[in-house]
Amino acid sequence: MEKLQKTVEEWKAMLDPEQYNVCRLKGTERPFSGKYNETRTDGVYHCICCNEPLFDSSAKFDSGCGWPSFYEPIADSAMIEIRDVSHGMIRTEVTCAKCDAHLGHVFPDGPPPTGLRYCINSVCLDLVPR
């Protein structure tokens, strides 16, 4: 996959301040505040930074964590996993494979069939309904 690269100025012009903070600076939105936390619309969730498809709504589930949760990405090649030792924890960060946008984290406490919970910030996503 060819990487999408932009300057800091280009990202700031394209994204709103919250999107920039989360996607480019590895921030997070407040739990239960994101527009997709309770959404049940059928469709595909795309990266807000590069429009790459990331998750199908059929893999979305209610984990109760306060962020949209998915048990698998649309393709393994859609994301990159990175060890994250910030905030006194050991976690696995997930970023968009095309543009390196921070999306959230993946945890090994999800439902079958994968047992994974991709905990993703709504501001990183754009839902395209079917």
Side-chain angles (χ1 to χ4, degrees):
M1 176 180 301
E2 187 175 331
K3 288 280 190 181
L4 173 66
Q5 297 181 341
K6 293 180 181 264
T7 65
V8 168
E9 293 78 21
E10 289 172 318
W11 287 124
K12 284 184 174 181
M14 181 184 146
L15 302 170
D16 71 33
E18 186 178 22
Q19 291 167 332
Y20 182 80
N21 179 56
V22 174
C23 295
R24 308 319 309 173
L25 302 179
K26 301 182 186 290
T28 191
E29 62 192 4
R30 289 182 339 272
F32 303 101
S33 69
K35 65 182 178 179
Y36 296 129
N37 186 48
E38 296 183 15
T39 300
R40 300 291 177 243
T41 304
D42 185 35
V44 175
Y45 291 86
H46 293 252
C47 178
I48 198 70
C49 294
C50 68
N51 201 38
E52 193 69 16
L54 299 173
F55 297 98
D56 191 278
S57 62
S58 63
K60 190 171 187 286
F61 69 99
D62 183 8
S63 69
C65 72
W67 290 273
S69 297
F70 305 85
Y71 61 78
E72 67 183 353
I74 205 158
D76 288 339
S77 61
M79 17 208 92
I80 297 170
E81 294 185 4
I82 302 165
R83 183 177 176 173
D84 178 0
V85 295
S86 64
H87 306 291
M89 298 177 270
I90 299 174
R91 304 178 290 175
T92 302
E93 175 190 11
V94 288
T95 62
C96 175
K98 184 171 183 179
C99 70
D100 295 326
H102 169 77
L103 303 171
H105 293 86
V106 61
F107 301 95
D109 60 1
T114 65
L116 299 174
R117 174 175 54 97
Y118 288 84
C119 184
I120 306 298
N121 291 282
S122 287
V123 297
C124 303
L125 302 173
D126 181 36
L127 174 60
V128 178
R130 277 192 247 281

